[in-house]
Amino acid sequence: MDQTPERPSHSETVTFSIPEDAVRSPRRSSRIKKNPSVTPRRFNKFFTPRARNLQRAVRSSRKALHDLSAATLNSRADSVHRPSKRRRISFSSVPSLPSSPIRKGPASVVTNANVEFQGLGPAPEAFAECFTTDDDYEDEDIPGTTRALPPPLIPYRAISTSAAALSRRLGVRNRVVEANGSNLWQHETANFYSSADDFYSYNRQVASLPFCATGFKTVSLVAVGDEDGTVRVHDACSQDQSYNQVFLQMHPHDNAVMDLELSEDDALLATASGDQTCRIIDMKQQVSTHTLVGHTGSIKRVQFQPGSGNNLLASCSRDGSICLWDLRCAKAKGSTMFQELRRESATFLESSREVNTINDIRDAHTARNNLSSKGRRQHIPISARSDFAVTTCAFISASRPHLLASASENDAVIKLWDMRTSYKQRSGGPNPISATLEPQSHQNHRQFGVTSIAMSTDGSRLYSLCRDHTIYAYSTAHLVLGSAPEMALSSSALRPARQPRQPVHGLGPLYGFRHPSLRLQTFYDKLALRHMSNDHTEVLASGSSEECAVLFPTDERYLNKAARRQPENATLAPRLRRATSSSSSSDAPLPIYYHGTALVNAHRKEVTAVAWTRNGNLVTTADDYTTRCWREDAAQARMLRLNSERDVRRYQSGWAEVPARYDEDDDEF
C-alpha cells in the first residue's frame, strides 16, 4: 500500500493537441473521409424536381432531362395542384437538397440555380432549367403542345324542347348555342329513292284510283285499297323482289276502300269503306269474318284497340260519329244483308257475321250554343244542326288503351275521349275529356280542318296534318292531364269519374313543320310515321298535292334556329304566308320548322296516302293511278340525282330532293 504511486493533481496534467491529419486510432479506418460520390440513381432520387403540371409538355431544350422529369420520383399525389397565374417564384414543390445524400438532416433551401455542388462543379444548364417557374411557361409558345380540355357541359335546355321550355320558365337565359352541323337532319331523309321497277300502275291493270295503304307489322308486306273495293298486297321487302307484282288480291267491298288497318299480329285486316260498313278479314283463310254495321256515312278511319286481343275496334265516319265495336258481340251467321251483293263479294262474305256498336259518340265535333242568355238550355232544331265529319281518330298508346283522340274537318282542335264512358245523346251533346286550343293563325284568320293524325313511338307526341299546310306537334301528357281528377285540390277529386259538363281546354301545339312542297287541297292526304327501332330513326311522311311526298325527321335535336329559316326561293301559298306571319307574331309565337325533304320525280299528280313497311321502306299512292315503293340507299339516291350513269331509267325513277352542294361536298353536312 505504501508503494502505490500517488495520483497527480490536475495542475500537473499535460494536454496535447493532435491535428486531424495525424495518425488515428488503430480501431478506425486509415482511409481519408471524402464526400460521397453522386451516382445516377442518387441523382434521380434527390435532384429531380417534382412534376407540377402533368399535362404540360417538356420543351425541346430539356430533352436531356425528359426521362428524369417523366419519372416523377419522390413526389406525392397531393403535391400536384393547379398553380395560380400570378405568384412569386417559389420552390416549395421542388424537393430540397439535403446536406448529405446519406445522412438525414435539415433541408437547405436553394436560392440560386447556379449553385456549386461539392465534387461536381457548377450545375449544368439543363439542370438550371429545372427551376423555371410556371410564369415562364405561360409566356412562351410551345410548339406541338396539346393540352387536354375537360369534357364540355351540355346545357339542360339543349336536351329537348321540353327542357328548353322549362329552362325559360325557370328564368335561365334562353340563348341557344347551335351545333356546327345544323343540316345533319338531311342524312335521315336524303337517302330515299324509287327505281323504275318499284311502281305498280293501276291505270294499266284495273283503271281505279288507290285510296289508302297500310304496312304489315310482322312481315315486309303492304296492303293497298282502291276505289273499286279491292285490296292488293305487295311485297316491299328488297329490290330483288319486284314490287310491281301482286302478292295477294281480295275484294271485300263494292265501294271505295277508304282506310286499312292491321292487328298487331297481322292475323286480321280491318277495312273501312264508302258503303258505310267495315269488314274484318282473316288473313290466313282470306275470308271476311265480321261486318261492322252502324254508321250512316262513309267511314274515314278504323283502328284496333291495343291490348284488346284483336276484339275491340274504333271507327269514325263522315256522319260525325265515333263508334266502338266488340267482335265478341256478333250475331249468328245467315244474315240477309249480302243478298244484293254481286257473286264475287257474296262468296267472300258468306261466313261474315254482323256486329253492332257497343258505344258511340254522336256529333263528336259539332259546335253548339245551346245555352240562352239566362243560362237555360234551348232546344236546337234539326235544321240548325251541322254535323261535321270526323276525319281521323287514333288510340293514344298501349299504356292508355281507353283514350281515343279524334279530329274533324271543321277545325284543328284535337279532342280526347274515354271510351269507357257512355256518351248517350243529350241536349248538350257529348263533351270530351279535354280538347286542345287552336293555333293562333286559325284564331286570327279562319279555321282549317285536320286530315290525319299519328302517334309517336313512345306516345309522347301527337302529330296532326292540318289543311293550312302544316303538321302540328302536340304534347300527349298535356292533353291527358287536362282534366285529371287526381290533380285537383278539392273534395271533388274524391268523387267517381263522370262525364264533364264542359271540355277542359289544354295547351295548343308545341311547334309545327312546313315545307314549300307541302300543299293540302283535299282530305285524302294522309300522314304516317315510321317508328323508331334499332335500324331506323323516327320519320314523318305526308302526302301533298304538289305531286310528291314530304319527309320530316322528328328528333327534337334538329329543332334549332337554322331549321326555322324558310328555304331560299320558296314560293309559299297566300294562306301559308298569312299563317306564317300570324304565327311569328309577338302575341303567341309558335315555332315553325322547315327541315323537310320532298320525294320528287316519281308521281305526276297528287300524292294521297303514305305507309311505312316493317323494313323501313315507304309506299306512296297517287292520283296518277300508281303506287311506288321508296327504299333507302345513299349511293343509289346520289347516282339518280347526279345522273352519273346517263341511264334512261332515271326519268322513270324518283329521289329525295336536297341542295346541290349536298352531293358535291358531302362532308359539310
Side-chain angles (χ1 to χ4, degrees):
M1 296 297 294
D2 297 336
Q3 296 179 357
T4 301
E6 296 180 357
R7 188 174 184 178
S9 60
H10 180 71
S11 59
E12 296 179 355
T13 303
V14 180
T15 304
F16 297 94
S17 59
I18 302 175
E20 294 180 1
D21 54 351
V23 180
R24 299 180 181 272
S25 173
R27 296 182 180 179
R28 298 183 178 180
S29 175
S30 60
R31 185 176 59 181
I32 300 176
K33 184 177 181 181
K34 298 181 180 180
N35 292 330
S37 59
V38 180
T39 61
R41 181 178 180 183
R42 293 177 178 176
F43 186 84
N44 294 344
K45 184 176 182 181
F46 293 96
F47 299 105
T48 300
R50 296 181 181 178
R52 301 186 60 83
N53 194 349
L54 299 178
Q55 299 177 356
R56 193 183 304 280
V58 182
R59 295 186 301 177
S60 59
S61 60
R62 298 181 55 193
K63 291 182 179 180
L65 297 179
H66 177 77
D67 297 337
L68 303 180
S69 300
T72 63
L73 300 175
N74 197 21
S75 62
R76 298 179 180 177
D78 56 356
S79 64
V80 180
H81 62 280
R82 181 175 295 180
S84 60
K85 293 185 177 180
R86 296 293 181 181
R87 63 181 180 83
R88 297 180 180 179
I89 300 177
S90 176
F91 304 99
S92 58
S93 60
V94 180
S96 59
L97 302 178
S99 59
S100 174
I102 301 177
R103 183 181 303 174
K104 296 182 180 180
S108 59
V109 180
V110 179
T111 58
N112 189 5
N114 296 327
V115 63
E116 295 185 3
F117 301 101
Q118 297 181 1
L120 292 179
E125 296 180 359
F127 184 78
E129 294 182 0
C130 297
F131 298 94
T132 306
T133 61
D134 291 337
D135 295 337
D136 297 334
Y137 287 119
E138 297 176 357
D139 296 337
E140 295 178 3
D141 295 331
I142 303 175
T145 303
T146 57
R147 182 175 299 178
L149 300 177
L153 298 178
I154 301 176
Y156 179 75
R157 61 181 177 276
I159 298 177
S160 63
T161 305
S162 302
L166 180 59
S167 299
R168 290 192 297 268
R169 185 68 60 85
L170 296 178
V172 183
R173 59 188 182 94
N174 55 359
R175 186 176 67 87
V176 179
V177 181
E178 298 182 11
N180 294 331
S182 58
N183 293 328
L184 292 178
W185 57 268
Q186 293 184 357
H187 289 287
E188 298 188 8
T189 58
N191 300 332
F192 284 90
Y193 79 98
S194 179
S195 64
D197 299 331
D198 290 333
F199 83 100
Y200 182 82
S201 177
Y202 284 74
N203 190 12
R204 301 174 184 175
Q205 305 291 339
V206 293
S208 60
L209 285 175
F211 275 1
C212 58
T214 184
F216 284 67
K217 298 178 174 60
T218 58
V219 292
S220 299
L221 299 176
V222 62
V224 180
D226 58 15
E227 64 175 349
D228 193 32
T230 305
V231 176
R232 292 175 177 84
V233 179
H234 299 268
D235 188 359
C237 178
S238 62
Q239 197 171 5
D240 299 335
Q241 300 291 336
S242 180
Y243 175 78
N244 54 16
Q245 297 180 1
V246 178
F247 181 77
L248 180 63
Q249 181 173 340
M250 298 173 290
H251 192 85
H253 298 276
D254 285 340
N255 205 325
V257 178
M258 309 299 296
D259 187 51
L260 297 171
E261 181 66 20
L262 283 154
S263 59
E264 292 296 332
D265 55 357
D266 292 338
L268 300 178
L269 174 65
T271 62
S273 175
D275 59 3
Q276 306 175 6
T277 61
C278 291
R279 301 274 194 264
I280 307 300
I281 302 174
D282 188 351
M283 296 304 296
K284 294 182 179 180
Q285 301 179 4
Q286 301 177 15
V287 294
S288 177
T289 58
H290 299 81
T291 301
L292 311 183
V293 180
H295 285 290
T296 59
S298 59
I299 302 176
K300 310 294 290 186
R301 183 71 168 148
V302 61
Q303 286 276 292
F304 279 95
Q305 185 180 32
S308 64
N310 303 339
N311 292 321
L312 297 179
L313 297 94
S315 62
C316 59
S317 174
R318 195 172 180 178
D319 59 4
S321 64
I322 301 174
C323 294
L324 185 66
W325 316 85
D326 192 345
L327 302 183
R328 295 166 295 187
C329 302
K331 295 182 180 180
K333 299 180 182 180
S335 178
T336 60
M337 55 180 296
F338 309 118
Q339 292 180 358
E340 299 180 358
L341 297 178
R342 62 186 184 183
R343 183 177 303 176
E344 182 182 357
S345 300
T347 304
F348 183 81
L349 303 173
E350 61 182 3
S351 61
S352 181
R353 295 185 295 175
E354 183 179 345
V355 180
N356 295 327
T357 178
I358 61 173
N359 190 7
D360 57 352
I361 307 173
R362 300 294 175 181
D363 304 330
H365 286 263
T366 300
R368 298 183 178 184
N369 186 13
N370 57 348
L371 292 179
S372 62
S373 58
K374 298 181 180 180
R376 298 179 180 178
R377 297 186 179 273
Q378 295 179 348
H379 178 70
I380 300 178
I382 299 178
S383 59
R385 295 173 58 182
S386 178
D387 298 334
F388 297 103
V390 182
T391 56
T392 180
C393 63
F395 287 97
I396 293 297
S397 62
S399 60
R400 303 183 183 96
H402 58 280
L403 297 181
L404 182 72
S406 64
S408 70
E409 63 177 356
N410 180 34
D411 48 29
V413 175
I414 307 297
K415 293 186 177 181
L416 188 66
W417 308 90
D418 190 347
M419 301 309 294
R420 300 172 301 181
T421 304
S422 177
Y423 295 93
K424 297 297 183 181
Q425 186 66 27
R426 298 181 180 181
S427 58
N431 291 322
I433 296 177
S434 62
T436 62
L437 293 176
E438 282 195 298
Q440 187 68 26
S441 58
H442 293 209
Q443 299 177 8
N444 296 340
H445 297 281
R446 54 159 293 188
Q447 296 176 342
F448 298 92
V450 176
T451 65
S452 179
I453 59 177
M455 299 300 302
S456 63
T457 305
D458 55 356
S460 62
R461 292 289 182 267
L462 184 146
Y463 301 98
S464 66
L465 181 61
C466 189
R467 281 289 306 276
D468 63 348
H469 321 297
T470 309
I471 300 176
Y472 292 105
Y474 296 87
S475 174
T476 308
H478 294 165
L479 182 62
V480 172
L481 296 178
S483 62
E486 60 271 12
M487 302 297 292
L489 300 178
S490 61
S491 60
S492 61
L494 303 178
R495 300 174 184 175
R498 62 182 62 180
Q499 182 181 1
R501 294 184 177 180
Q502 295 295 334
V504 179
H505 291 282
L507 299 179
L510 300 177
Y511 49 86
F513 297 142
R514 287 198 184 119
H515 193 270
S517 298
L518 182 60
R519 308 283 184 84
L520 304 178
Q521 295 182 356
T522 63
F523 283 94
Y524 292 98
D525 300 332
K526 302 301 179 182
L527 185 69
L529 182 135
R530 182 176 70 176
H531 293 285
M532 183 181 298
S533 61
N534 296 331
D535 301 330
H536 308 289
T537 58
E538 192 175 83
V539 179
L540 270 174
S542 172
S544 174
S545 61
E546 293 296 320
E547 304 176 0
C548 65
V550 185
L551 304 181
F552 294 93
T554 61
D555 197 335
E556 294 186 350
R557 62 178 176 174
Y558 302 133
L559 305 184
N560 47 34
K561 290 184 178 179
R564 298 183 63 176
R565 292 190 291 266
Q566 297 184 11
E568 299 178 358
N569 302 327
T571 303
L572 301 180
R575 289 186 299 176
L576 184 57
R577 286 197 299 267
R578 290 194 299 265
T580 304
S581 60
S582 175
S583 298
S584 59
S585 61
S586 58
D587 297 336
L590 179 66
I592 300 296
Y593 301 97
Y594 296 87
H595 63 298
T597 302
L599 305 180
V600 298
N601 204 58
H603 296 284
R604 297 296 178 265
K605 289 187 178 181
E606 179 182 5
V607 177
T608 54
V610 290
W612 293 96
T613 61
R614 185 176 178 272
N615 57 350
N617 295 338
L618 177 66
V619 175
T620 58
T621 65
D623 288 348
D624 57 356
Y625 296 92
T626 61
T627 63
R628 277 193 173 271
C629 179
W630 298 83
R631 310 180 191 276
E632 197 170 6
D633 192 334
Q636 291 291 334
R638 184 177 182 182
M639 181 190 66
L640 291 174
R641 284 192 295 262
L642 299 178
N643 195 16
S644 58
E645 294 187 357
R646 306 294 180 181
D647 196 349
V648 181
R649 294 181 302 175
R650 177 180 184 269
Y651 298 99
Q652 300 178 357
S653 304
W655 54 84
E657 186 181 27
V658 295
R661 58 176 182 172
Y662 181 85
D663 294 323
E664 295 175 359
D665 191 3
D666 198 12
D667 297 336
E668 294 182 0
F669 294 85

